[in-house]
Each structure stands twice: as structure tokens, then as C-alpha cells.
Amino acid sequence: MTAENNHIETSQRFKPPATRRDFLGLAATWSAIVAFVMATVGALRLPMPSVFPESNSRVKLGRPDRFAVGSATYFSKIRLWLFRDESGFKAISSVCTHLGCVAERQEDGQYLCPCHGSRFDQTGAVKGGPAPKGLVWLDLSLSPEGWIVADTLSDVGPETVLMAQV
Amino acid sequence: MSSIGGDHQTHHKPSHERGIGDKGALRDFGSNLLSTPIALRDSIIRHGKPTSDRAKSQTIFSNFFLHILPVRTHLHAIKATTTLGLGIATLVLFIILCVTGVLLMVYYKPSVDQAYASMLDIMHVVPTGRLMRNVHRWSAHAMVACVMLHMARAFYTAAYKRPRAFNWVIGMALFVLTLGLSFTGYLLPWDQLAFWAVTIGANIAQSPQELTDAIGITQYFDIGLWQKEVLLGAHHVGQEALIRFYVLHVMVLPVVTTILIGVHFWRIRKDGGLVRPSHADVDTDEMPALADVSTPLKSYGLMAMMKDKTPAVNREMRHTITTWPNVMYVIGAATMITVFAMLLLGYFFDAPLAEMANPTVPENPAKAPWYFLGLQELVSYSAFMGGVAIPAIVVLGLGLVPYLDREKEDVGLWFSGARGRRVAFISSVFGAVTVIGMLWFTVEFGWLRNWEATAHVPQIVITLFNPGTVLVALFAFWSVATVRVMNSTRMGAIALFTCFLVGFVILTYFATVHRGPNWNFYWSQSDWPVH
């Protein structure tokens, strides 16, 4: 290195270029940091499940002729009310949309949640309390052998009716 | 203790100079063997009996477990009114919880089929199992209470100011961790109370949906569902949730808490000990009648060194006493009182255990543990605001206090003196009146959905404008007004903290006593409908 070059490198007007040693040091440091962060993110991916234990959400409720016209049947395990009227079948989930308690159906057909007092009318619409949205109506279908099947993770419009012959 | 620091070998000659047949080595062996107990003791404790100042200093300084303490402690630090012993009590409770918790782990089975049965075993079959579980439960409640009281003490004596600002933040983290430990432990008995409290808790984690639904972005960014799935490993509380809570409760949270407790204590030491008012360093005639208040000839100053506003040269010894044994008495007393209280509670009062978890029927009313009941009242206005946003605002606000209020005067004084006492009093009246007024209004008249004109307002309005958010807004306004009127950020901080404290106490009381089935208002439990 000549004296002239040396002068340029150290002058105030030119920022001295990074030396090879600086570059390698910085590259090593940042690769280590990036590797550590990525490893942490990768490890934290583990608790995020890709399969859920209740992945089969479709539940057989019974043959249509089991339920009389005008009846209301409660399935406590899947927290579901099944109604039958002249038009057909419909099902509503009694899980409160506020914080997941089970709302109780009153004699007048309204729903009342015991945990924080949310109230819903017969159509599941919010009538009072903190619930952010109405109770969820569930999709009903007929299985090939003619059973009524409810999809507990579905969300269809209020009072969606499944037509079914007796 | 004649041979402290000495060598017990009786060398007559260096070994390489000994001839064959010389019995020196054998004699050494014999006497070494005889003096081994003493040599062992001296190799563990490498200083004499703590009679001299030097040995007292060494007792603290050369002991791994004690060296987090300074060798000399300011007299102010051991006055009962300085800390009320709440920090030590909290630590002792944590240790009790670790010990009883490990013992309970011996029999507890984290499985939905066996958890409840193993609880019954612990209560009725396992020797001392009932006492251990009771002590564990009461210590958990007591730890939450002590952490809160300790925080209030640190706040009102302005212990959060520079250089202790970051230690206040660590304290906030420990507060959150303590609540997390309680919440995760709550599920483990797998009884009705546990199941429904955690169902509610998990759905609070999901409640950001209330906001994302309202602005219509849930399908792109469903943070609520994501949080619930990570917490439960499922969509309902079940086996996956139980094992996750178990791992958090017995491993993750205790380890993180232990580390942060270490940092918390270490920083107290590095920040110059407990906060003390300036008058604590002024000479007075009335020095406490402790054994060794007299200034020693030699200070062992390096061992006593700590960072603080430097005292006058050569005066660092004034107003201090040796930590051994004076502070040890204080720590010992706080420990014994705490352990005794927990044993007493555990002996006479059984920890509750409801019937086994039944996912089909919620408890009515389903009440969270007392420290979450204030939040549960807020949650009954809006899940997201009461369960996520307001707690986040409170924790964030409290964490920022040391950075927003940096006034240096009047630290170490309760309420920073007479002016602060007045602000605290007026603020507690203001807080009480607004909270009680708001509760009365809500019970008497309901809220937006109960009125015809506003029955159909969009959910976002109810989320943002409900009794809980109105209270927080009033408190914020009150504290800003105090900053302005009193021209002091410290006074504003006192006003805000007092409002939140009073609000917490009243809401907790209200939800405990006056909320019954369907979260309706009742004057007392005897008015609850029979069913």
C-alpha cells in the first residue's frame, strides 16, 4: 500500500471501505442472530396444532321419524337444540357467543346464559347482555342411510331449515 | 475455632524429605482422619464465627445464598413501615408453592380421566395430601394478594423511580406471571369450577374476534382464534388443554418466574438497596438500640459497596448496621409468620373441590377466583374490552409509570408526603363514587341494549362504549387533571393508581357478593333463587 492510498483511506471526505475482517465479522454476527431467531420461531411453531382432536364435526342426531312435528330436542354433549316444525328441521347451538358457556333455553323459547347474563330470542338474536353476536344456527343434512347429521362447526343463517320426509 | 484458615496437616517435614520407615505420613493420615469433620466444615464455611465485623461481612459475602444481600444494610430498610415485609413474604410463598407443588406432582395425574380421581386421592388417601393441597391453594391466593400489596407499597413509596425504573417493569412481569401461574393451576383439579373458569378464560383469549368481526377482518386475521388454539390445542377445554396448562404450571411459568425473581432481587441490591427518603441519612439523636450501630473501625467498604447517590466521604457507615444478624432476624421473622399463617389456613380450611367437570352444564353462577372477579364484572359488559383491552391498558399504563413520572423529590416517603396523602384520599373518594355510581346505573338502568332507542346499535359501539371503558376514561381524565392542577406528574400517578386500586377492590367485592345466578344483581347470596 502506497503512501498516497493510505492518505485517501484515512481522509475525512471518504468513508473508509469496510475491511474484509469487518465484513466477515459482521456477516458472522448477523447470520448467528438470524439463525437464532429463525430457530426460535421454528421451535415456537410446535405448540400450534395442525390437527385438532375434535376434527370430525359432523354428528348423527337420529332418524327423522324419531322427532315429532313441533318437538324441540336437546343434545347435551354437542350443546345443540334440534327443532322440527311443519317446514322441516333446524338446529341451533346453545354455546353462548360471549364466552362459551351454555345458554339455557327458557320455557318461552328464549335463551339465557348463566355466566354473564346474555339473552337471545327464539331466533338466536341478541336481546341483551354482552354477547357480540347471535347464537349460531347449524347446517343439517341427511346421511346416505337417511339419518339427520349436524355439522357442529358450521354457521348457517338463522332458522335455516332442512326439508325432510318422514 | 482456633484453626480457621489454618492448615490441619501437621507437617514435620515436607513429604519428599521423609525417609522410608519414617512414620510421619501415617501419623498425618491418622490426625487428618480425626480432624476431617472440622476440616470439612472449614472448607464449606471459610470464615470464623460472625462475632467480628469482618466475619459478619464474610458471612454474607462469601455465602452463595446470602451474597445477594449487602454486608451492611441501611437502618431504614429494616423498619417495619418501609416494606411491611411484603416482598419477602411473596418470595416465601413462592418457595412454599414450589415445595408443596412438587409434592402434589407425585400423585397428581394430568389426564381428564384421572385428574379428578387423583385430586380425591390427594384429599382423602395420600398422607398429608390434604394439608399440602390446602397450603398450596391458600399460598397461591396469598401470593396474588402479597404481589398486589407489594406493588402498592412500591408505588406509594415511589420506589419505581430512577434507578429502580426497570425493576418496577420486572415487578409488573412477575405480577402477570403470578396471575398466569394461578390461572393455569386453576384447571388442574378438573372440577366444575376449573372447567368453566378456563372455558371462559380461553374464550377471552378468543375475544379479539369481537373487534375483528366488527371491522370485518376476521377471515384474514383471526388472532382471537389463533390464541385460543395455541392455549387449548383444541377448540374446547379437554385433554390437550389440560396437558398444556400442566406444562405451563409446573415447568414453564415457575422457571421464568424463578429467573425474574433472581433478577428482581439482584437489581434491588445493584440499585442501592431499598428506596429511602432523604431524611433517613440525616443524623438524629435517636439511633435504634441495636447491638452494633456503633461505627466500626474498619468498614470492609468494597464488600459493602453499592451504587447510589454517594454518601459523604467516610460517612458510608452512618445509619447502617451489619446485615448479619440484624437483617436475617427480619427475614426470618417474615418467613416464620408467612409459613405459620399458611399452615394455619391449610390446617383449618379445606381448599374447595367442586364436583367433577361436566362440559354440558355450566356452574350458575360460574365465578372466577377472586382476583379475576373484578375483570369478570368488566367482561360482562364486553368480553374483548373487559378481558383483553382494559387489562392490557392497565398493565401497560402501570409499566410506563416510572418513565412518565420522573420527579426526583420525595422518594421513599409514603405517598410522597402530605400532599400525596391528600391526592390519594380525594382520588379514592373519586374512584369509589364513580365505580359505585357506574355499577348502580348499570344494575338500575342497564346499558345500550336495554333501551329501546339504542337496542340495535352495532356491536362495535357496545365494545368501545360500555361501563368498563367509561370508567377507564374517567380515571385517565382524573389523573391528567390532577397532573395539571397539582402541577406534578407524581401526583397524577398517585391519582391514577389509587383510582385503579379502589376500582379493583370495589369491582372484586361487587362481583363476589352481589352477583348471583345469570350474573344478576342480588343483595346477598340468601336472595338467590332456589333451583
Side-chain angles (χ1 to χ4, degrees), chain B residues 179-207:
Chain B
L179 293 179
L181 277 163
S182 300
F183 180 63
T184 51
Y186 212 66
L187 179 64
L188 304 187
W190 203 251
D191 61 353
Q192 269 292 72
L193 210 57
F195 182 88
W196 288 102
V198 171
T199 296
I200 291 173
N203 281 292
I204 286 175
Q206 193 186 18
S207 68

Side-chain angles (χ1 to χ4, degrees), chain B residues 229-245:
Chain B
E229 287 176 353
V230 170
L231 196 62
L232 297 186
H235 295 110
H236 302 289
V237 177
Q239 179 61 57
E240 285 71 22
L242 181 57
I243 205 78
R244 275 166 198 240
F245 275 56

